[in-house]
Amino acid sequence: MKSQIRISNHADCCLIDIEGIIGVPEEWQFDTPDERVATYEKFRTLLRRIAQIDAPRVVVNIRSTGGDVGDALLIYDALAALKGHITTRCFGYTASAATIIAQAASEGAREVSPNCLYLIHNSSCATEGNAGELDSKAELLRQTDARIAAIYARRSGRKEEEFAALMNENHGNGRWLSPREAVDCGLADRLADPQSASTTLTRNLVRGWERFLSRLGLHTDAERPLDRNTLNASTQTAARQQSDTERRRAAVQPTTVLPAEDPSVSEVAQSSNDKAYAEDARMFRK
């Protein structure tokens, strides 16, 4: 999944959504510069925005299988330094570096979805070189594992050795934990409200469609995050209601799609259906 970290501000709460792979090297990513989300400049800007958040409540929604440990530690430090109350909520597959970010919550505020799967494991890397260079990399990995185990232990009340042993299971690949197991071993504080999980996943699906439509040249009236830490709630609600009214008035017919050419939500259609989708876009603009 493409890496995405979004910050949206509301009247009394700042939402941070973390999805996809954390800190994917730029050369692994996408075709155009606008789609490359792991450049140093973009990541530095993101950390600066997190550090400047001044909301009384911050909710961090995490749906990620992990990524770069170094980047995850930087995000963890930025969140942990905030003055507001931090809640982290994990959904779907939450693994590896993503679990480090989840530990940045305030006391008692690490939540996992009742349907979440949670994985911690030893760090790994790809390298080459002579025996001395490989020994040096191995020592770095051991130090990284010790640092991560200490972060897990700090919030759990358990010893670092217990988490080191859990990370080392299955030859260092760890073990997928159920939500209850994650709570019982001290990696989370409680199960999230199922309604919160449903709302978050629905919002993510809507955003997927918005990105797909924008690639076709169609810009929706969906709410955009603002670079502010407070937002007038009544103004935001009125704008949303007006947008809903306009959408209800739009009479858009469904697109006829050939079964073998149904495009994915996350992909731009490259088939004979382009014409049909373009027609839908024109009807939306009316």
Side-chain angles (χ1 to χ4, degrees), residues 1-214:
M1 177 190 293
K2 177 180 176 181
S3 175
Q4 289 284 353
I5 301 179
R6 305 180 188 86
I7 302 174
S8 59
N9 303 286
H10 299 266
D12 62 347
C13 180
C14 179
L15 297 179
I16 302 177
D17 293 322
I18 300 177
E19 298 178 289
I21 299 174
I22 298 168
V24 184
E26 183 177 353
E27 61 270 17
W28 288 7
Q29 291 195 35
F30 308 96
D31 296 332
T32 66
D34 289 341
E35 291 183 326
R36 293 174 183 165
V37 294
T39 62
Y40 173 76
E41 182 59 32
K42 285 190 175 184
F43 188 71
R44 184 175 64 176
T45 300
L46 168 69
L47 288 177
R48 184 165 58 246
R49 288 190 63 195
I50 292 176
Q52 292 173 348
I53 291 174
D54 193 26
R57 293 177 55 242
V58 179
V59 176
V60 185
N61 296 311
I62 303 171
R63 186 166 65 97
S64 168
T65 54
D68 187 89
V69 175
D71 287 349
L73 288 170
L74 290 173
I75 296 173
Y76 168 88
D77 286 340
L79 289 171
L82 296 179
K83 296 180 180 179
H85 184 273
I86 313 297
T87 300
T88 58
R89 293 173 178 162
C90 298
F91 304 102
Y93 286 165
T94 301
S96 191
T99 66
I100 297 173
I101 299 174
Q103 305 305 309
S106 300
E107 188 69 30
R110 297 171 300 164
E111 300 182 357
V112 292
S113 163
N115 299 310
C116 175
L117 283 174
Y118 205 94
L119 171 69
I120 66 174
H121 62 84
N122 285 345
S123 56
S124 62
C125 71
T127 188
E128 62 180 18
N130 58 40
E133 291 171 318
L134 296 180
D135 285 342
S136 177
K137 288 292 185 180
E139 177 59 24
L140 175 60
L141 291 175
R142 284 189 286 269
Q143 291 286 353
T144 301
D145 292 341
R147 182 73 259 136
I148 295 172
I151 291 175
Y152 294 145
R154 180 185 303 131
R155 298 299 311 279
S156 69
R158 296 172 178 266
K159 295 181 178 180
E160 296 178 19
E161 291 77 9
E162 295 184 41
F163 291 100
L166 182 59
M167 294 162 61
N168 197 47
E169 287 189 13
N170 297 317
H171 305 287
N173 292 314
R175 173 166 54 91
W176 286 99
L177 303 173
S178 70
R180 176 51 58 188
E181 287 175 324
V183 173
D184 290 344
C185 73
L187 290 168
D189 296 306
R190 60 177 179 263
L191 300 184
D193 180 2
Q195 183 61 38
S196 298
S198 175
T199 301
T200 297
L201 294 176
T202 299
R203 184 173 63 248
N204 289 339
L205 288 173
V206 170
R207 285 172 174 162
W209 275 107
E210 289 173 356
R211 290 195 296 270
F212 173 63
L213 292 175
S214 68

Side-chain angles (χ1 to χ4, degrees), residues 250-276:
V252 181
Q253 298 298 320
T255 302
T256 301
V257 180
L258 298 178
E261 297 180 347
D262 189 8
S264 166
V265 170
S266 62
E267 297 176 351
V268 177
Q270 299 294 334
S271 70
S272 59
N273 290 295
D274 282 348
K275 182 178 179 180

Side-chain angles (χ1 to χ4, degrees), residues 195-259:
Q195 183 61 38
S196 298
S198 175
T199 301
T200 297
L201 294 176
T202 299
R203 184 173 63 248
N204 289 339
L205 288 173
V206 170
R207 285 172 174 162
W209 275 107
E210 289 173 356
R211 290 195 296 270
F212 173 63
L213 292 175
S214 68
R215 290 179 180 180
L216 295 175
L218 173 62
H219 299 284
T220 69
D221 292 328
E223 177 186 344
R224 303 289 203 281
L226 302 178
D227 290 329
R228 299 176 56 190
N229 290 321
T230 57
L231 183 66
N232 185 285
S234 60
T235 301
Q236 179 181 354
T237 301
R240 226 176 10 243
Q241 291 174 344
Q242 180 181 1
S243 176
D244 290 341
T245 300
E246 292 173 354
R247 282 195 291 270
R248 284 195 298 268
R249 291 175 178 172
V252 181
Q253 298 298 320
T255 302
T256 301
V257 180
L258 298 178

